[in-house]
Amino acid sequence: MVKKIFKKIATVTCLTLFLIVPVVASQLYIGSRTVDITPQLPVAVTGQFHLRIAEIAETPLIATVMVLETRGANGDLAIMVSCDALYIPTDLVALVRQAVKNQLPDIDENKIFLNATHTHTAPVLALEGEYLIPKTGVTQVKDYRKFFVEKVSGAIVSAYKDSAPGSVAWGMAYAVAGYNRRIVYADGTSGMSSKTNLPEFRSFEGSEDHNVNTLFFWNDKGKLISVVVGVASPSQEVEGRYAVNADYWHPVREGIKEKYGKDVNVLGWAAAAGDITPHMRYRKDADDRMRNLRNLSRTEELARRIILAVDESYNSVATERHSELVFEHHVEELPLPERWVTEKNYLEAKAFVQNAKEQIAEDPKAADALYRMMNWQERTVKRYEKQLENPKPLYPMDLHVIRLGDIAICTNEFELFSDFGIRMIARSKALQTFVIQLTGSSDWGSYLPTDRAVRGGAYSAVIHSNIVGPVGGQVLVERTVEVIDQLWNKEVTQ
Amino acid sequence: MEKQTHIDYRVSKIKNNLFLAISFFIIFVAFQLLPNTVFGQDLYIGAATVDITPKLPAAVDGQMTVRIAKVAETPLTANVIVLESRGENTTVIVSCDLVTVPTELKEMIQKEVKKSLPELDEKKIIINATHTHTGGVVRDNRYNIPEGVTQVKDYLQFISNQVSKTIVTAYNQREKGSVSWGISHAKVAYIRRAVYEDGTAKMYGGTHQANFIKMEGFEDQAIQSLFFWNQKGEFVATCINVPSPAQIVESRSAVNADYWHPVREGLKEKYGQQLVVAGWIGAAGDQTPRPRYDEFAEWRMIALRNEKKSPDFGTHSGAVDFRNEYHLSEIAGRIIRAVDETYETVKIDKHDAPVMKHVVNNIELPMRVVTETEYDNAVKMRAEDMNDPERAQVYSRRIVWYSKVVDRYEIQKTTPQPMFPVELHALRIGDVVICTNPFELFTEYGIQMKARSNAMQTFVVQLVGPGNYLPTHEAVRGGHYSAIVESNEVGPEGGQILVNWSVAMINKLWPQ
């Protein structure tokens, strides 16, 4: 009890200090690293309901680290890691933080966050429950997690130790790399990635955000060392393959390196894109013709568009670098109301799980197709049972909000539907607001749908797809905007 | 025996030759009988541009208040392209820097052209407006235009003369040529209807406030192009389809072709002064070319490109006015880059005998029904404007706007479901189709047409006719200008019929 009271007092004190202490423009220190996180083959790749074993790595998988720091009494730190992964389980984030803390005991490890580019052709990272992976002959999840933690924490430590004075510029352009994948029909129902060439097709359910936000970092010799690219589209163009593939981020990185130098570190940030796909949802033939005339694969075409946007921003902002600027990194655990599991949801899920168990018992091979789906629905069953004890369950989300000069960076742990991201961007006091989704996920990630999506139904907006629903989504928006406001309402001293 | 063998040989040879001759004949006849949906005829192309800038001072069309322009900041033009699939079809495309194309104007042009070119089917002239809000007034009896200012009837006559003469010129100059098509992207369309927590929507509503939920509809960032070359291989004409109205500087009291002027100038500079650029606006009733959120970030990038220096973000007040030359140039630059990119990609894929088919349908759509509440409101609002002489002058168009609702309600007493006549065109050129409608059509309808079309590319062209917003169900529920009964002659029910009919017209051009 006493501990709880102290904790509350500490939280209130921290928040009060956070609100009243003026911010100081300080010299920015930067460090960056790229590390290969391609698994040993064969390996199970995640992102579909059925088990897929990859025998080849079509591209390497990469984690890219960016360390931002200001020093002195008012100094702050952010360590951001972009990973070619479907999701980053929160327990894995904790392991990375701990591994870094072991080597850098003076840093606040909570200032580390990892985001997934959401490629569907990267290894399983959740310790259990996703697939029944063969016990031999295939890289085991625990082994890949160990490898991942070692590689990523090592890269963080190296980047941190190398941090040196540098500068940054930010820019924005656009590229059509994401398409809304939720299709609305005449009867009010929605489908995910369903057909549009039907008489009953009416509209796409939500918005698309075609902005490509960029950050460019130079060292004190004026050499470009890192580029951050924010795209509101998951890297899922080759999502169904039985292969390891970083999807469109691979040609994006290669193209940027070819143009700006082979040592440039490229961080890919997926903005709010829970309802977005890089697949064409209509006029595919027209797009395919253009791509074929250019002799490009679909991932190369997406990369071409994104790189054009990066180039355009770079050419406009490269002369406007900031080395002394306001830098603050706010971290908090944000409790979000969970989506309510109804009795009907519970009974349907329970029946499905029972049926799946019987099928698997009868034919163990059926697990390849059913196991993940069964566990997906079993989570709903367990949530309902927990609700009986705690009727107002809260999901504890790690919220990071960073002010870097005129821009804000804010994170969330979901596949966040685009409209929520647009709400944050529109209401933000920052010049530009970089929204990063999938920075840590419970289990294998979770969609966060809009009200309209829940009404429309279908995968990504059904109860099993969502730990947090539209109500929690609005809480996330409100709190994110509130923190951004606080960061911008402070007095800035030079 | 030997003789017999020789005879057999001769008979066999004759039989073989006969078989070959019959086969050739059958194949020849089959080719002749095949519809031109399989093989096209040689394509002939003629193109020309004509100035349609009104004599100044001129009233400009597109807002509720009367605006008198004393200056023409850019010329207004009509851009004409004549396409003939030799011996089969002739189509005339006319893109005009106007707010809409009133039926009266279309008929005047058709009549004039028919006088000079009796062989031309005047129904196959497609005239569209780029929807500039700084073009001369073409809608009669909408504004109280003072004396000494160009009058509507005179301006319509001027446009009709200029356009019809130019059609004749382009027709007479047509020569063998080729065509290609392509698609790229540019951010030009920004949805302009914001939705709030209580379910209401607002055109140009703020997005910074706490009750902002989302943008209402969808944006289509495709820039589709058609390219035409003459017999010498010179690039002579292009049609560019942009799903956003030419309304960057829409509120000025000046004549201005808006973003189409720098688009045309930029393309001519690159590809030669001979180039005729026809601007087609896609389904864009709910779109604007000006950003609605993240405005300062966009503005900073534009300012940086022009002044090499960021505007001071610390002192900005939140609102950004994009109605300026920098933004005109920015949007034109985006469109030009998209067109360039498309041109560079598809110039190796020219077609000199594409299938060409043009169908014109006249149909009727159910009108949006005026309710008693809407009628009462229109009567009240009209009275408020009319009872104040100053407002009656300034808001003359608004009075007409309300009066139309009052009139419609009266008509409904005898005709409970009045119908609205529309003319629709579907033009197939090779693998692509151009389909038209007379509305400010909300983007979702255009996307439905594109998604359901059998064509490889579907160019939706709005405002081929007198114009009026055609909103979605969601927009009607949200309310506000562009989705209220005063703004709509046809509502969502009619919109769906329009989509279904257009898709049927298109898909008939691609027999299974």
Side-chain angles (χ1 to χ4, degrees), chain A residues 84-95:
Chain A
D84 285 331
L86 179 74
Y87 53 83
I88 316 281
T90 44
D91 68 323
L92 192 68
V93 175
L95 291 175

Side-chain angles (χ1 to χ4, degrees), chain B residues 182-196:
Chain B
I183 183 170
S184 184
H185 303 93
K187 193 166 179 178
V188 182
Y190 298 83
I191 185 108
R192 58 183 167 182
R193 290 179 53 89
V195 178
Y196 303 102

Side-chain angles (χ1 to χ4, degrees), chain B residues 409-422:
Chain B
Y409 188 77
E410 296 299 335
I411 290 168
Q412 279 172 205
K413 287 177 182 166
T414 50
T415 313
Q417 179 54 77
M419 301 299 282
F420 186 80
V422 296

Side-chain angles (χ1 to χ4, degrees), chain A residues 82-86 115-119 233-235 246 249 253 268-270 438:
Chain A
S82 162
C83 308
D84 285 331
L86 179 74
N115 78 286
T117 59
H118 209 39
T119 176
S233 182
S235 52
W249 283 111
R253 288 190 290 250
W269 283 349
L438 287 168

